[in-house]
Amino acid sequence: MARNFRIAPSILSANFAKLGDEVDNVLRAGADIVHFDVMDNHYVPNLTIGPLVCEALKKHGVTAPIDVHLMVKPVDRIIPDFAKAGATYITFHPEASEHVDRTIALIRECGCKPGLVFNPATPLDVLDYTLDKLNMVLLMSVNPGFGGQKFIPYVLDKARKVRQMIDDRGLNVSLEIDGGVGPANILEVAKAGVDTFVAGSAVFGAAKDSDPNRYDTVIGALRAELAKA
Ligand code: DX5
Ligand code: ZN
């Protein structure tokens, strides 16, 4: 398979007290994208980070794409702030927006790449009318809100469906998966048509010491599995 695979560590599981160093270290270890989980204690039962932290990472010198995963409701108010803060992708859950088409257009107008996120049990029908307007489809393979949960296997079937839709329409849309991904299952996920892999606890939980090279082993293991696809 000649897909261009990308690894997107979720900083949700990073050490927030050393966030700049953590991001530098995973990127140095070979990660491609920074997955940035935004939770509002309303759409999901947890509270994380906002545009100020995104801006701080940019000022720190992060040049890799920042993949902002909005788990917030409402969505639109915060989009221009993330665009100004340096987001590359902005993805949102269709359930969290009253007007999905408008939100996609807003992300684009702000200069960012829009994506839609589907919870495990959320059907894909919104894609019938939106897929050609997106840069990313993100499939949740856990229920959103927390890192370290178990991968939900039926999402593989959804991944195959979305891959088919993208290929049938000849679109250049990334297919990303988020939740419970690690070296043990990344190959299976890749074979279902996914090209961009979020991994939080599998990456940042890999080692707990202060060795700046501690992420090399796990990123290397993920790449080695992907090489078999
Ligand atoms: C969950 C977040 C994920 C989370 C994944 O709501 O969207 O990005 O960090 O964590 P792991 O890889 O540990 O399942
Ligand atoms: Zn996420």
Side-chain angles (χ1 to χ4, degrees), residues 10 12 35-39 67-71 91 93 117 138 140 142 144-145 176-179 198:
S10 162
L12 184 63
H35 185 78
F36 191 105
D37 285 307
V38 185
M39 304 186 187
D67 170 28
V68 173
H69 173 193
L70 294 180
M71 288 162 275
T91 66
H93 293 246
V117 194
L138 172 50
M140 294 307 299
V142 297
E176 183 176 44
I177 204 151
D178 185 2
V198 176

Side-chain angles (χ1 to χ4, degrees), residues 157-176:
D157 185 49
K158 273 177 112 173
R160 284 186 279 269
K161 284 195 177 116
V162 179
R163 170 52 57 198
Q164 191 74 48
M165 289 173 82
I166 292 169
D167 290 351
D168 284 352
R169 300 187 196 186
L171 297 169
N172 183 22
V173 178
S174 293
L175 178 53
E176 183 176 44

Side-chain angles (χ1 to χ4, degrees), residues 37-128:
D37 285 307
V38 185
M39 304 186 187
D40 67 349
N41 190 36
H42 169 69
Y43 179 65
V44 290
N46 202 352
L47 186 65
T48 59
I49 45 179
L52 293 174
V53 176
C54 185
E55 189 183 2
L57 288 177
K58 293 298 283 191
K59 285 189 177 151
H60 176 73
V62 173
T63 55
I66 299 184
D67 170 28
V68 173
H69 173 193
L70 294 180
M71 288 162 275
V72 305
K73 186 178 181 175
V75 179
D76 293 6
R77 224 294 299 143
I78 204 77
I79 285 170
D81 294 6
F82 270 107
K84 281 191 211 102
T88 309
Y89 294 94
I90 299 181
T91 66
F92 68 99
H93 293 246
E95 298 96 329
S97 171
E98 297 291 341
H99 306 284
V100 171
D101 182 86
R102 176 179 287 152
T103 303
I104 293 169
L106 175 62
I107 294 169
R108 183 80 65 200
E109 279 158 24
C110 288
C112 297
K113 297 178 175 178
L116 280 176
V117 194
F118 295 88
N119 287 331
T122 301
L124 298 167
D125 46 2
V126 180
L127 289 179
D128 289 347

